[in-house]
Amino acid sequence: MGDETSTPTSTPPGPPPALTAAPGYQVRRLYQAYLAAWIRAVDPTLTGPQFAVLQAVEAAPGSDQRSMASAVSLDTSTMADVARRLENRGLIVRRTAADDGRRKLLHLTEEGELALQGANHRARQLDERLLGPFAPERREEVMHLLTSLADHWEGLAEDS
């Protein structure tokens, strides 16, 4: 009688079809690949959420932390942590609002402006690489689909 136990193959099995058909699985794959590309191409210490906050503060200096959280799709506790980290790195300052001591108003520092300028240039180059498989005329459609999907999924999360 031969040995009926299976021997390991040299090639690991791929993900099962039920998994690859799940949109959440594909989004997680995209996000993991995006994070790895971001670290290599844009900045190994500035995170995507931190970058988003810097962009929002540049666009609306002096806005309060809660408004900024909403603008960049962060919950308020995550926003507080991100703002604290950016402040500790000297990229933003948080000032207390004169009319309400609980509100923190955000402003870029000179160092924050420089960091954002460099990261923004590298992030736009990464965007070009990420959308590289699509012809220029299809990129707008891809971005519309991604935005629609994100809006829908955020709505589902709010309904839960």
Side-chain angles (χ1 to χ4, degrees):
M1 252 190 192
D3 185 2
E4 293 184 26
T5 61
S6 61
T7 57
T9 62
S10 60
T11 322
L19 189 57
T20 58
Y25 172 76
Q26 299 300 351
V27 167
R28 185 184 61 76
R29 288 183 58 219
L30 283 169
Y31 188 64
Q32 284 183 282
Y34 174 74
L35 287 178
W38 176 275
I39 288 168
R40 283 190 310 276
V42 179
D43 194 302
T45 58
L46 184 70
T47 66
Q50 290 172 348
F51 176 71
V53 169
L54 290 177
Q55 284 193 312
V57 172
E58 180 187 48
S63 293
D64 68 272
Q65 199 165 287
R66 182 178 294 267
S67 298
M68 291 292 170
S70 177
V72 297
S73 297
L74 293 176
D75 61 74
T76 54
S77 62
T78 301
M79 178 64 193
D81 182 56
V82 168
R84 188 171 27 263
R85 290 173 190 267
L86 290 171
E87 185 176 44
N88 289 342
R89 289 182 57 192
L91 302 180
I92 66 167
V93 292
R94 295 186 297 168
R95 298 185 182 124
T96 303
D99 63 337
D100 183 351
R102 297 170 296 175
R103 289 178 55 226
K104 301 294 183 198
L105 309 179
L106 307 181
H107 299 271
L108 288 179
T109 63
E110 190 174 321
E111 186 177 343
E113 290 174 10
L114 291 172
L116 178 58
Q117 184 179 27
N120 194 41
H121 176 70
R122 293 185 301 275
R124 298 300 69 86
Q125 288 177 323
L126 177 59
D127 289 347
E128 286 297 315
R129 288 178 49 213
L130 293 172
L131 294 174
F134 301 100
E137 61 274 4
R138 293 245 7 249
R139 291 178 184 187
E140 187 174 329
E141 176 188 355
V142 169
M143 289 306 301
H144 176 74
L145 290 170
L146 289 172
T147 302
S148 296
L149 189 60
D151 290 346
H152 176 67
W153 286 21
E154 285 176 345
L156 292 174
E158 291 170 6
D159 293 344
S160 300

